[in-house]
Amino acid sequence: MNLTFSDEDRVFQRGVRDWFAANTPEVLRRKVESGQMLTRDEIVHWQRRLDEQGFLVVGWPKEHGGPGWTPTQRYLYDLERAAANAPVGLSMGVIMLGPVLMAFGSDAQKARYLPRIRRCEDWWCQGYSEPGAGSDLASLATTAVSDGDDYVINGSKIWTTYAHWATHMFCLVRTANTGKKQEGISFLLIEMDRPGIEVRPIVSIDGEHHLNQVFFTDLRVPRSNLVGQEGQGWEIAKYLLTHERTSIAGVAESKAAMANLLRSAAERRWAGTRLIDQPGMAARLARAEIDLTALEYTNLRVLSSTAAGKAPGPESSLLKLMGTAVQQTLSELALDIGAEQAWPWHPEGALAEAAHVHSMERYAFLRACTIYGGSDEVQKTVLAKSMLAGAAR
Ligand SMILES: Cc1cc2nc3c(=O)[nH]c(=O)nc-3n(C[C@H](O)[C@H](O)[C@H](O)COP(=O)(O)OP(=O)(O)OC[C@H]3O[C@@H](n4cnc5c(N)ncnc54)[C@H](O)[C@@H]3O)c2cc1C
């Protein structure tokens, strides 16, 4: 199958390519290419720069500040941004909470939060998982008890990415214990500077601090922070997860990583031969490209059904499953191609500029991508159920 784009789309694509070539700061480009973590300030500045250009909330409708692009243009935009090794915008506010507020939020919540997400004035984290509720999320036990105009919250969230940088959390809480466990869950917005919140760091296997455990002790949150109706949290959570899983697939990022790997494999030699010409390496690179191409076409199918007005459903599980497998394969190839450059014990600064200098950390962190956003086993169960339902119809 050959993909063809209209002349208008090609002009659009060139415009995006030129903008990223001229505007991506070199320091960010290097960090993205080598898989290094960005600082909070770097992310905020870059996100604001994208917003000024109309390049941040590219999936949002025009009435909320989106550019009104077609799905094809969004796809081309993503490819060009990633190919330029430019950082992606923050996903928690833009990709997850934004669409939820548009679908379920009150007018006041939309008016207050959507512009602040766009301008990166608020940094959102996701409070879903708990020590006793990960795959079985509906077992969550953090309680929100109604008291006058407030909810009083007690409990704990875990694995909360960037909670230490966040100003706000969107959070699933238990407001009732009657009926099915899914029925008593509500979706609440929490300001992180309220008394009664403690954030404790969890350092992950890559040696970085992305993750946290968050404790709530008699935390008071106004009832006006409830999104949708009390008890509607499970429906909202599932809506958000389809957006999360589709974005975790990271097709554009993987295409850019593949291009970087092919370039490196053509530059680096072993026993006098370019790595790309060695049969074992060539076969692995070819296999990875085939899997990536299959992923890309699956992504395009999902995009075209989204363009036809269909919300992403179980396809998002398929994308997450395939996309994260590809990410892990590419991170393994980066270790093997980078060889001595990829190992973290080189003398301080000696290889600071090398393309693969952070490959080991990235490889280690990406072991988690088949867990976060819902583990592989959970995605397979979603797919199996949808296939069985399809067969029964
Ligand atoms: C790097 C990282 C970042 C994260 N960021 C966030 C975040 O920002 N916010 C947030 O809320 N959460 C976050 N999470 C949590 C993540 O969503 C959970 O880790 C995930 O849902 C799995 O839950 P669990 O860790 O409790 O594992 P468990 O649910 O205990 O699962 C353990 C193992 O058992 C398997 N398993 C469980 N149930 C079944 C079943 N029914 N059938 C077959 N196999 C099963 C799982 O697949 C897994 O292999 C993050 C996790 C990681 C690793």
Side-chain angles (χ1 to χ4, degrees), residues 182-326:
Q182 287 84 353
E183 286 167 9
I185 295 173
S186 299
F187 192 101
L188 207 55
L189 308 178
I190 298 177
E191 295 87 0
M192 294 294 282
D193 58 359
R194 287 182 177 275
I197 303 184
E198 187 196 346
V199 178
R200 288 190 204 158
I202 300 173
V203 174
S204 42
I205 193 172
D206 57 348
E208 297 284 0
H209 174 200
H210 318 258
L211 304 170
N212 303 275
Q213 183 163 7
V214 182
F215 296 86
F216 305 126
T217 310
D218 295 330
L219 161 71
R220 296 191 81 87
V221 173
R223 288 175 63 89
S224 55
N225 282 18
L226 180 74
V227 177
Q229 305 296 314
E230 220 175 69
Q232 206 185 358
W234 190 246
E235 183 192 343
I236 300 177
K238 284 197 299 183
Y239 179 83
L240 184 146
L241 277 173
T242 57
H243 288 271
E244 179 179 3
R245 287 174 183 160
T246 308
S247 74
I248 289 176
V251 179
E253 263 59 39
S254 287
K255 283 191 66 135
M258 187 79 228
N260 291 339
L261 286 178
L262 290 171
R263 204 172 45 244
S264 281
E267 281 165 11
R268 290 176 68 78
R269 288 173 181 271
W270 184 71
T273 311
R274 297 186 321 157
L275 290 182
I276 204 167
D277 295 328
Q278 301 190 357
M281 179 55 76
R284 287 174 65 197
L285 286 166
R287 180 75 252 166
E289 272 202 287
I290 291 166
D291 290 346
L292 180 53
T293 306
L295 172 69
E296 186 178 16
Y297 281 112
T298 307
N299 191 34
L300 287 169
R301 275 202 302 275
V302 173
L303 276 180
S304 69
S305 61
T306 315
K310 195 171 164 281
E315 304 87 342
S316 61
S317 291
L318 186 62
L319 280 178
K320 205 241 154 193
L321 199 63
M322 293 169 67
T324 50
V326 167

Side-chain angles (χ1 to χ4, degrees), residues 38-56:
L38 270 57
T39 65
R40 188 185 196 282
D41 276 356
E42 283 171 339
I43 295 172
V44 169
H45 281 123
W46 177 242
Q47 182 135 335
R48 289 187 179 151
R49 182 75 189 90
L50 290 179
D51 179 45
E52 280 163 23
Q53 186 60 25
F55 277 4
L56 182 63

Side-chain angles (χ1 to χ4, degrees), residues 92 125-136 158-162 211 365 368 371-378 381:
M92 302 273 181
C125 64
Q126 178 185 34
Y128 275 25
S129 308
E130 298 185 2
S135 304
D136 183 15
I158 197 164
W159 313 123
T160 324
T161 305
Y162 294 143
L211 304 170
F365 184 74
I371 300 172
Y372 56 67
S375 69
D376 271 12
E377 291 77 8
V378 168
T381 305

Side-chain angles (χ1 to χ4, degrees), residues 1-237:
M1 181 160 95
N2 264 331
L3 265 187
T4 50
F5 296 109
S6 68
D7 290 346
E8 197 189 331
D9 286 336
R10 290 289 181 203
V11 170
F12 169 87
Q13 183 176 21
R14 269 196 301 278
V16 173
R17 183 178 301 167
D18 292 346
W19 189 87
F20 278 109
N23 290 283
T24 311
E26 185 56 17
V27 60
L28 297 194
R29 199 189 62 69
R30 278 190 177 283
K31 280 189 163 187
V32 170
E33 185 175 0
S34 67
Q36 199 179 347
M37 214 177 141
L38 270 57
T39 65
R40 188 185 196 282
D41 276 356
E42 283 171 339
I43 295 172
V44 169
H45 281 123
W46 177 242
Q47 182 135 335
R48 289 187 179 151
R49 182 75 189 90
L50 290 179
D51 179 45
E52 280 163 23
Q53 186 60 25
F55 277 4
L56 182 63
V57 290
V58 298
W60 288 16
K62 264 189 160 169
E63 57 172 308
H64 294 302
W69 293 342
T70 62
T72 306
Q73 289 173 327
R74 273 159 49 196
Y75 170 75
L76 292 172
Y77 163 83
D78 232 18
L79 285 187
E80 292 302 329
R81 180 198 47 70
N85 289 310
V88 66
L90 266 185
S91 62
M92 302 273 181
V94 173
I95 294 176
M96 298 190 215
L97 183 63
V100 159
L101 289 179
M102 288 173 215
F104 299 95
S106 65
D107 288 343
Q109 287 167 342
K110 286 183 216 172
R112 172 165 176 73
Y113 293 117
L114 292 177
R116 294 180 63 85
I117 291 175
R118 241 192 49 210
R119 296 192 296 262
C120 204
E121 284 164 8
D122 297 333
W123 183 306
W124 288 89
C125 64
Q126 178 185 34
Y128 275 25
S129 308
E130 298 185 2
S135 304
D136 183 15
L137 187 58
S139 291
L140 63 92
T142 293
T143 52
V145 177
S146 188
D147 183 32
D149 289 338
D150 292 340
Y151 286 109
V152 180
I153 300 171
N154 282 285
S156 173
K157 296 288 170 182
I158 197 164
W159 313 123
T160 324
T161 305
Y162 294 143
H164 56 306
W165 286 352
T167 57
H168 292 69
M169 174 190 281
F170 51 87
C171 188
L172 294 178
V173 291
R174 181 157 298 287
T175 42
N177 270 312
T178 49
K180 278 170 54 185
K181 57 187 179 183
Q182 287 84 353
E183 286 167 9
I185 295 173
S186 299
F187 192 101
L188 207 55
L189 308 178
I190 298 177
E191 295 87 0
M192 294 294 282
D193 58 359
R194 287 182 177 275
I197 303 184
E198 187 196 346
V199 178
R200 288 190 204 158
I202 300 173
V203 174
S204 42
I205 193 172
D206 57 348
E208 297 284 0
H209 174 200
H210 318 258
L211 304 170
N212 303 275
Q213 183 163 7
V214 182
F215 296 86
F216 305 126
T217 310
D218 295 330
L219 161 71
R220 296 191 81 87
V221 173
R223 288 175 63 89
S224 55
N225 282 18
L226 180 74
V227 177
Q229 305 296 314
E230 220 175 69
Q232 206 185 358
W234 190 246
E235 183 192 343
I236 300 177

